[in-house]
Amino acid sequence: MSTAKYVIGVDYGTDSVRSVLVDTANGKEISSSVFLYPRWQKGLYCKPAINQFRQHPLDYIEGLTHTIKDCLAKAGGADIAHLVKGISVDTTGSSPVAVDATGTPLALTKDFEENPNAMFVLWKDHTSVKEAAEINEHATKFNTNYLKYVGGIYSSEWFWSKLLHILRVDSSIKKSAASWVEHCDWIPFLLCGGNDIATMKRSRCAAGHKALWAEEFNGLPPEDFFSSLDPLLTGFRDKLFVDTYTSDISAGTLSEEWATKLGLGTDVIVGVGAFDAHMGAVGGQIEPYYLSKVMGTSTCDILVAPNQDLHGKLINGICGQVNGSVIPGMAGLEAGQSAFGDVYAWFKNLISWPLNHLLSESDVIDEATATALKAELEGKIIANLSKQAAALPDGDYAELAIDWLNGRRTPDANQELKGAITGLGLGTDAPRFFRALAAATCFGAKAIVDRFKEQGVPVKGIIGIGGVAKKSAYIMQMMADVLEMPIRIHRFEHTCALGAAMFAAVAAGVYPDVETAMKAMGTGFEKEYKPNIKKQKMYRQHYQQYLGLGRYLEKYNKKDVKPYLS
């Protein structure tokens, strides 16, 4: 009889969910499966023009079921299923939802099935910029700085601003919501068969970085902080939580319903959830003072440090520092860029306009050929732009861009900021435009590294994780050149899911702690990009220009500055 022990890591991303079945002995991937959210793919419940991005919980449930069953089927079905010891989940965040007293998202209850306000408010939803600004102003009225552990600035991407916005715009949610929960808290609760919201184990990671929970406050800020912000919040604090849990802790065991649905045993341990980048940092074998950059649609940058090193030190303008949010017993510091891969995707869509809108009307080729040609060309655009941009001479560098196409997350969150590009001329072609956008995302990364250093937190190197890190040698080399430090690319393809699997192994008792699991299950690095010293002077100059243009845009963005009209 086999003595192998397997775990499942589930990684909920912006567009899809991925599950991986992993051998706890060595971190080897046995099988994996991806599920694209069908409602999200159709653009349902979203209004990009007003930055509204909502996801239906059915997308999450269907994806969870499909990917885990598919992983098991690919690996051998029942012969493998009985060897699975644990499941852990990571998700995007802050992506909260209103729930009833049973912990069921309102979108899964009668009368709310098609109400976007009853669905998960995705991390990139910025409909609550007004509420975030009010929270920031309101916090200045208190002797205690309740924003001190979230970098001093609250964001529209986070829990309380989203919650308040929904309560303001939809009285039916206010009337029916027994509580609000993060996506990473709800999935473990669902798997364990939870039916009482008061028993849900809340993630330390989510609560500390996004919901103002802090050990110093003995939980959330006091009732009067919220009730004096808006009477709509009166009593809401008591509907939430006091205690939080690190992700090495068990949330419970698989319920009979879910065990039957997935083909697993009811003895399978389900770990407490966390955000994708935090578990991804563990999957990517993070070390103290190395910045783990999960590079996908956005970036989430994670750094860990011994608690004693940060005693009495608060880092301004980041997304928080929380004891145990990444590795239990260490401080986890989070930063990030609101748009990274999304910047390249935006440009790809921009220049693909004829493919998307005119090719189907062609009188020269039939519909099937047009569809195939569109798919072929779209698949080649970024790769060929990268190749052409890399071939451009360094001395011919007029274009300069700012990467705030979805606002700015770090340093100093401001989701109202907009992107820009200057230096355009008749000689500006698509590769030059793309080069400027790529450089802007790298300069945005440097601004984060510089903020850590300015605040007394050293950054020794970069660990690259995610789709862009694995696929784009052009952007990774440029980033190494801009940051003037090496970037190691982790070998495992699905690093966030691997991190979730490592936490599952610890929660299930296979390993005593996260560090031991990382050592046993880490798969190492496949490549290292080293900075090109010859480009140092050029990028230092361009970076100063980037900062200058950014300062101008921030000033221009203020309400009292009006555009010049002739």
Side-chain angles (χ1 to χ4, degrees), residues 6-13 17-24 27 64 68 84-92 184 187-188 191 246-249 268-285 294 326 465 490 492 494-511 514 517-518 521:
Y6 298 122
V7 288
I8 296 172
V10 183
D11 170 37
Y12 279 94
V17 57
R18 180 186 303 275
S19 291
V20 295
L21 179 68
V22 175
D23 189 336
T24 61
L64 181 69
I68 292 180
V84 175
K85 303 302 178 186
I87 299 173
S88 282
V89 173
D90 71 70
T91 73
T92 65
C184 68
I187 297 294
L191 288 172
T246 52
S247 294
D248 56 334
I249 301 297
V268 173
I269 296 293
V270 180
V272 169
F275 289 150
D276 45 11
H278 299 72
M279 284 192 170
V282 169
Q285 297 171 263
V294 180
V326 183
I465 296 169
H490 200 266
F492 202 89
H494 319 305
T495 319
C496 293
L498 175 61
M502 290 177 179
F503 276 105
V506 178
V510 178
Y511 292 108
V514 175
M518 276 200 294
M521 299 172 66

Side-chain angles (χ1 to χ4, degrees), residues 52-305:
Q52 176 182 303
F53 297 98
R54 310 288 164 82
Q55 291 185 330
H56 202 291
L58 286 176
D59 275 356
Y60 298 160
I61 293 173
E62 291 166 7
L64 181 69
T65 307
H66 172 85
T67 56
I68 292 180
K69 290 178 70 173
D70 192 37
C71 276
L72 294 173
K74 288 176 178 176
D79 293 338
I80 291 293
H82 75 281
L83 301 174
V84 175
K85 303 302 178 186
I87 299 173
S88 282
V89 173
D90 71 70
T91 73
T92 65
S94 179
S95 297
V97 70
V99 297
D100 66 15
T102 69
T104 302
L106 293 186
L108 296 178
T109 65
K110 187 180 179 182
D111 300 328
F112 288 100
E113 297 95 333
E114 296 299 317
N115 184 343
N117 296 322
M119 300 174 190
F120 284 88
V121 184
L122 193 64
W123 65 270
K124 68 192 285 184
D125 186 298
H126 291 164
T127 52
S128 60
V129 266
K130 177 176 178 286
E131 286 75 15
E134 289 178 29
I135 291 171
N136 286 314
E137 192 277 330
H138 183 67
T140 64
K141 301 174 183 177
F142 292 81
N143 292 330
T144 299
N145 180 8
Y146 292 112
L147 305 185
K148 65 198 297 185
Y149 293 109
V150 294
I153 302 174
Y154 206 74
S155 169
S156 62
E157 294 186 345
W158 299 351
F159 185 87
W160 283 104
S161 53
K162 292 174 187 284
L163 185 160
L164 179 55
H165 177 73
I166 297 298
L167 295 184
R168 284 176 169 175
V169 300
D170 196 328
S171 60
S172 67
I173 302 295
K174 163 68 175 172
K175 189 179 299 183
S176 301
S179 187
W180 275 64
V181 304
E182 284 283 358
H183 184 191
C184 68
D185 293 333
W186 178 63
I187 297 294
F189 182 78
L190 177 73
L191 288 172
C192 294
N195 57 17
D196 179 0
I197 187 59
T199 66
M200 180 182 286
K201 287 185 176 177
R202 308 286 189 137
S203 161
R204 170 76 57 85
C205 170
H209 284 286
K210 312 300 181 186
L212 299 179
W213 181 94
E215 293 166 298
E216 181 183 325
F217 311 149
N218 296 315
L220 299 168
E223 167 67 17
D224 69 320
F225 178 84
F226 299 109
S227 60
S228 60
L229 171 62
D230 191 309
L232 283 172
L233 294 176
T234 300
F236 223 96
R237 179 185 184 275
D238 293 338
K239 295 181 178 183
L240 296 176
F241 53 89
V242 175
D243 298 322
T244 64
Y245 300 84
T246 52
S247 294
D248 56 334
I249 301 297
S250 167
T253 55
L254 206 57
S255 71
E256 190 169 331
E257 177 188 355
W258 274 94
T260 301
K261 186 180 292 188
L262 299 175
L264 293 168
T266 55
D267 59 343
V268 173
I269 296 293
V270 180
V272 169
F275 289 150
D276 45 11
H278 299 72
M279 284 192 170
V282 169
Q285 297 171 263
I286 195 169
E287 302 173 42
Y289 298 112
Y290 277 79
L291 191 65
S292 167
K293 287 186 71 70
V294 180
M295 291 176 261
T297 54
S298 66
T299 77
C300 199
D301 302 356
I302 303 295
L303 185 145
V304 296

Side-chain angles (χ1 to χ4, degrees), residues 284-506:
Q285 297 171 263
I286 195 169
E287 302 173 42
Y289 298 112
Y290 277 79
L291 191 65
S292 167
K293 287 186 71 70
V294 180
M295 291 176 261
T297 54
S298 66
T299 77
C300 199
D301 302 356
I302 303 295
L303 185 145
V304 296
N307 280 318
Q308 60 269 24
D309 289 6
L310 294 181
H311 182 70
K313 183 183 293 183
L314 293 169
I315 314 305
N316 294 321
I318 64 172
C319 304
Q321 54 194 81
V322 180
N323 176 24
S325 65
V326 183
I327 297 176
M330 298 188 76
L333 287 74
E334 178 191 344
Q337 295 165 261
S338 291
F340 194 78
D342 268 353
V343 173
Y344 317 133
W346 166 81
F347 186 60
K348 173 185 167 183
N349 289 335
L350 183 71
I351 62 176
S352 297
W353 192 91
L355 295 179
N356 295 327
H357 297 277
L358 300 180
L359 199 59
S360 61
E361 301 176 7
S362 173
D363 296 327
V364 178
I365 57 177
D366 59 53
E367 184 177 348
T369 304
T371 300
L373 181 60
K374 176 177 178 291
E376 179 187 17
L377 293 179
E378 284 185 337
K380 294 179 177 180
I381 287 175
I382 296 297
N384 280 274
L385 279 174
S386 297
K387 184 178 179 181
Q388 294 295 319
L392 293 171
D394 291 339
D396 182 14
Y397 213 132
E399 297 81 14
L400 177 71
I402 297 292
D403 55 317
W404 302 333
L405 273 69
N406 197 27
R408 184 180 63 207
R409 180 180 297 161
T410 316
D412 304 321
N414 186 341
Q415 304 307 154
E416 293 187 287
L417 293 174
K418 303 295 183 183
I421 186 164
T422 65
L424 299 177
L426 294 177
T428 301
D429 55 13
R432 283 176 168 78
F433 204 121
F434 179 75
R435 177 179 61 177
L437 293 174
T441 59
C442 293
F443 294 147
K446 180 171 173 56
I448 292 171
V449 170
D450 285 358
R451 175 57 59 92
F452 278 119
K453 291 179 176 179
E454 290 162 7
Q455 303 269 319
V457 178
V459 179
K460 296 180 179 179
I462 307 295
I463 296 172
I465 296 169
V468 178
K470 298 279 286 185
K471 296 174 183 177
S472 181
Y474 170 68
I475 292 169
M476 289 302 97
Q477 183 59 59
M478 180 185 286
M479 184 173 289
D481 296 342
V482 168
L483 297 181
E484 299 179 24
M485 62 177 64
I487 301 176
R488 289 183 290 170
I489 307 300
H490 200 266
R491 177 174 287 111
F492 202 89
E493 185 175 355
H494 319 305
T495 319
C496 293
L498 175 61
M502 290 177 179
F503 276 105
V506 178

